[in-house]
Amino acid sequence: MKLTRKSLQLLPLLLLAFTSLQSQASASGNNLLIYGLAAGALLLLFFIIISVADNFMVLDLQDKNIDNDKVNMGLYPRVSELFGKRRPEHLEGKNYHKLTKGYDIPLEGKPAGTIDESIKASRFAIMPPDFNGLMPIPKVTVEVGDSVKAGDVVFYDKKKERIKFAAPVSGEILEVKRGLKRAIASIIILADKDQVSRSYDLPSEHADRSVLVDFLLESGVWPVIQERPYNVVADPDRTPRDIFVSTFSTAPLAADSKLAIAGREDQFQKGIDVLNRLTDGFVYLGLDGREAAPTAYDRVQNAKLHYFDGAHPAGNVGIQAHHIHPIGNGDDTCWTLDVNGVLLLGNLFLNGTYDTSRVVALTGAPLQAPTHVRTHAGASLGELLSGENFVNVRTISGDVLTGDNVGTEGFLGFFDDQVTVIEEGDEPEIFGWLLPIKPRASISPTIPTFGTFEATTNSHGERRAFVVNNDYERVLPMDLYLQQLMKSIMISDFEQMEGLGIYELVEEDVALAEFACVSKQPLQYILRDGLNLMQAQG
């Protein structure tokens, strides 16, 4: 409207100038200047009329609660529509979501697009802390020295004894490691050279849903299914509204998911078929809309395919669910899986074996040759990185935003398919408070980043009071007021937490906002506190 008002103010001045120049031009006999000004005035009048109409259309959209950021109903095309990247040709007519919010941290250390089959691990672990909501001291069913097959139950939840957790590989139990207050930290297994799986009696394809659920619980496969809200192991007594699967990750230096499914397409399809028997709703598959050509995931049947194009966190299953069918509480409860979970499920029903093998990305600038390796869940990070000579680095299971600092003595998380190594940022940076002397990532245009850079763990600041800005909204592609939600969690305001959409979020969704936060607030910890509080209140 400002532009329109200014234009209206300029119009009388132009008309006055036009009249004055007409009289002068008549005197000189030159009418070209008059005609030019007349054409300019007409164009300006036409522009004013169009601008007024455009403003009225935007106001009408606001009255009807239509988000103009998502749907451009104005008369003028956006700059992104004129010069932005267009959707690939093979996605014409498909469910396509272009996300304009987010940020890709340009880190060095991207893995090569191949699998190094020479890197192996001999020790594996399954860790109860990887599963949210599980009692810190579950009932352990094995002892040191026992031999187990892949799929044998090693512990179960004391609160829900039906939910059992299985050994990721076959071998000998080396250690049951305990942490604070004697909580079970990990159960370590020395793997057999030739893996042996537990044998199963598979239910028929026409078995009732209850029979299928009982089989999945007894097989040890059930924990790969996560439930939202709260991101906990799925409740077997509940039927989900829908099931969401994301087939790609946009996290920094993420593994290439196309390598994970290569040669295992039939197992993935079988896993999707099984998931369809667990819900009365739909199985949604989130695909990478940035791919220039179709991938193996495009050929998956019995699922609704949705393509997402945008910066991180476009690959998060929660972000995708928000744009497909938002997750809530009660009847809106949904289940989620990752690619490795679907493959584990499909392999069980296709081959009758428990196989946690997966493709893992070894990433980070300190690595001599970042690459992908093939291993199993819970692999020893020290063995995967045995050829490296590190000095003052941090070894993370997962990515730099959500991973755990486990060190080379630690193990790969059950849901992780990436290991990241970055340099410790424990040395002060001279005048770092004044000028960004070293390259660093920032969503602020005042600190441009050219190409990739070698990151450290330095956070360039410390925790302080919330600074009110829109940084959270710039990187979170969801219609949520994240800062207000965090404040409501900190004061335990249940109604506001629910009203501001806490049920839609888990830690990975707010990790990028935590990175961008100038207040250095630990958003992931705050959110988990809020989720635990809401779950405890029922």
Side-chain angles (χ1 to χ4, degrees):
M1 293 299 286
K2 289 181 180 179
L3 179 62
T4 306
R5 286 170 185 162
K6 288 181 180 177
S7 304
L8 287 170
Q9 291 168 357
L10 285 174
L11 185 58
L13 295 175
L14 283 174
L15 291 175
L16 180 61
F18 168 73
T19 307
S20 173
L21 288 173
Q22 186 184 29
S23 59
Q24 295 175 13
S26 298
S28 64
N30 185 4
N31 292 328
L32 290 178
L33 182 60
I34 299 173
Y35 295 145
L37 288 173
L42 285 174
L43 286 175
L44 180 60
L45 180 63
F46 180 73
F47 173 73
I48 292 171
I49 294 172
I50 297 296
S51 296
V52 171
D54 182 72
N55 280 311
F56 277 124
M57 291 183 70
V58 173
L59 291 173
D60 189 46
L61 288 175
Q62 292 176 353
D63 291 340
K64 295 178 179 176
N65 294 323
I66 298 177
D67 188 355
N68 191 57
D69 290 337
K70 288 184 176 179
V71 183
N72 181 20
M73 298 297 288
L75 297 174
Y76 298 115
R78 295 171 177 165
V79 175
S80 60
E81 294 173 347
L82 293 174
F83 304 104
K85 179 184 174 184
R86 298 184 180 279
R87 73 168 67 183
E89 186 176 344
H90 72 281
L91 299 184
E92 293 295 338
K94 305 287 183 64
N95 295 314
Y96 178 81
H97 305 267
K98 175 69 177 178
L99 306 185
T100 58
K101 298 178 180 178
Y103 180 68
D104 288 326
I105 303 176
L107 298 183
E108 285 185 9
K110 184 179 179 181
T114 55
I115 301 176
D116 187 341
E117 302 284 359
S118 66
I119 299 177
K120 302 291 182 183
S122 62
R123 293 184 302 130
F124 297 82
I126 182 166
M127 296 161 284
D130 285 344
F131 306 93
N132 289 323
L134 182 66
M135 291 286 285
I137 306 180
K139 180 63 178 177
V140 178
T141 59
V142 294
E143 296 180 354
V144 174
D146 287 354
S147 295
V148 292
K149 296 179 181 177
D152 280 348
V153 175
V154 290
F155 64 86
Y156 60 84
D157 192 350
K158 289 180 180 177
K159 290 186 297 185
K160 299 176 181 176
E161 296 184 359
R162 299 172 67 196
I163 301 179
K164 300 173 181 177
F165 299 81
V169 294
S170 65
E172 179 186 349
I173 303 294
L174 276 183
E175 183 180 2
V176 179
K177 187 175 287 187
R178 293 181 180 270
L180 295 174
K181 299 181 180 179
R182 296 189 58 76
I184 304 296
S186 59
I187 297 175
I188 303 172
I189 303 170
L190 178 62
D192 293 331
K193 187 174 181 180
D194 297 320
Q195 286 294 298
V196 180
S197 171
R198 171 188 170 190
S199 59
Y200 296 91
D201 293 325
L202 297 173
S204 74
E205 294 186 357
H206 305 290
D208 293 340
R209 182 182 182 279
S210 59
V211 175
L212 178 61
V213 169
D214 289 340
F215 171 74
L216 293 175
L217 288 164
E218 184 60 33
S219 68
V221 174
W222 187 265
V224 303
I225 305 174
Q226 297 287 289
E227 181 175 294
R228 298 202 186 194
Y230 311 125
N231 201 33
V232 294
V233 178
D235 184 351
D237 296 326
R238 194 190 298 270
T239 301
R241 187 202 69 199
D242 299 305
I243 298 177
F244 293 88
V245 179
S246 176
T247 62
F248 70 106
S249 172
T250 51
L253 306 176
D256 185 352
S257 66
K258 298 190 294 296
L259 296 175
I261 195 177
R264 303 181 67 182
E265 293 86 350
D266 54 344
Q267 296 177 24
F268 191 84
Q269 180 61 63
K270 190 66 177 179
I272 294 295
D273 295 340
V274 173
L275 292 178
N276 272 283
R277 298 164 61 186
L278 295 174
T279 177
D280 296 330
F282 297 107
V283 176
Y284 291 103
L285 212 58
L287 285 83
D288 193 348
R290 302 167 302 175
E291 295 284 355
T295 66
Y297 296 107
D298 294 73
R299 298 190 291 272
V300 174
Q301 305 291 320
N302 301 325
K304 288 186 174 294
L305 309 187
H306 284 254
Y307 296 82
F308 290 85
D309 185 356
H312 184 65
N316 288 7
V317 67
I319 304 296
Q320 296 170 6
H322 176 82
H323 291 273
I324 297 172
H325 193 165
I327 298 171
N329 199 13
D331 295 336
D332 280 343
T333 299
C334 296
W335 291 352
T336 65
L337 288 89
D338 57 17
V339 169
N340 292 314
V342 178
L343 288 173
L344 176 61
L345 193 62
N347 181 75
L348 176 63
F349 280 83
L350 200 62
N351 302 320
T353 58
Y354 187 90
D355 181 8
T356 62
S357 61
R358 60 187 58 185
V359 174
V360 177
L362 304 181
T363 66
L367 269 64
Q368 298 175 19
T371 187
H372 291 86
V373 298
R374 197 186 306 279
T375 184
H376 291 80
S380 165
L381 299 194
E383 293 185 70
L384 294 180
L385 302 171
S386 59
E388 305 288 341
N389 185 22
F390 297 132
V391 177
N392 196 31
V393 298
R394 182 174 297 185
T395 305
I396 301 169
S397 174
D399 62 81
V400 292
L401 295 175
T402 61
D404 294 321
N405 175 20
V406 298
T408 52
E409 297 300 317
F411 296 87
L412 185 72
F414 186 80
F415 297 101
D416 292 335
D417 61 357
Q418 179 183 356
V419 178
T420 309
V421 182
I422 60 174
E423 184 183 347
E424 286 285 359
D426 51 2
E427 294 186 0
E429 184 179 332
I430 186 168
F431 294 119
W433 57 273
L434 181 63
L435 292 172
I437 296 175
K438 293 182 179 178
R440 66 188 61 176
S442 173
I443 65 169
S444 172
T446 59
I447 308 177
T449 304
F450 303 100
T452 59
F453 72 102
E454 185 175 349
T456 72
T457 60
N458 195 331
S459 60
H460 304 289
E462 58 188 10
R463 188 175 180 180
R464 67 206 72 168
F466 273 111
V467 177
V468 178
N469 54 30
N470 66 341
D471 284 353
Y472 294 170
E473 286 71 23
R474 289 175 61 187
V475 298
L476 180 65
M478 304 173 82
D479 293 330
L480 297 176
Y481 296 104
L482 190 56
Q483 189 169 108
Q484 287 84 345
L485 173 60
M486 291 296 152
K487 291 180 178 178
S488 67
I489 294 173
M490 295 171 78
I491 61 173
S492 303
D493 188 329
F494 299 104
E495 292 186 356
Q496 274 203 18
M497 280 192 273
E498 193 171 73
L500 290 170
I502 190 174
Y503 295 134
E504 291 198 62
L505 294 170
V506 299
E507 289 92 324
E508 66 176 9
D509 298 326
V510 303
L512 188 62
E514 182 176 300
F515 160 80
C517 179
V518 297
S519 310
K520 311 300 179 186
Q521 293 284 343
L523 303 187
Q524 297 183 68
Y525 288 106
I526 296 173
L527 178 63
R528 176 46 58 185
D529 286 343
L531 291 171
N532 291 339
L533 193 61
M534 296 296 285
Q535 189 178 19
Q537 295 298 319

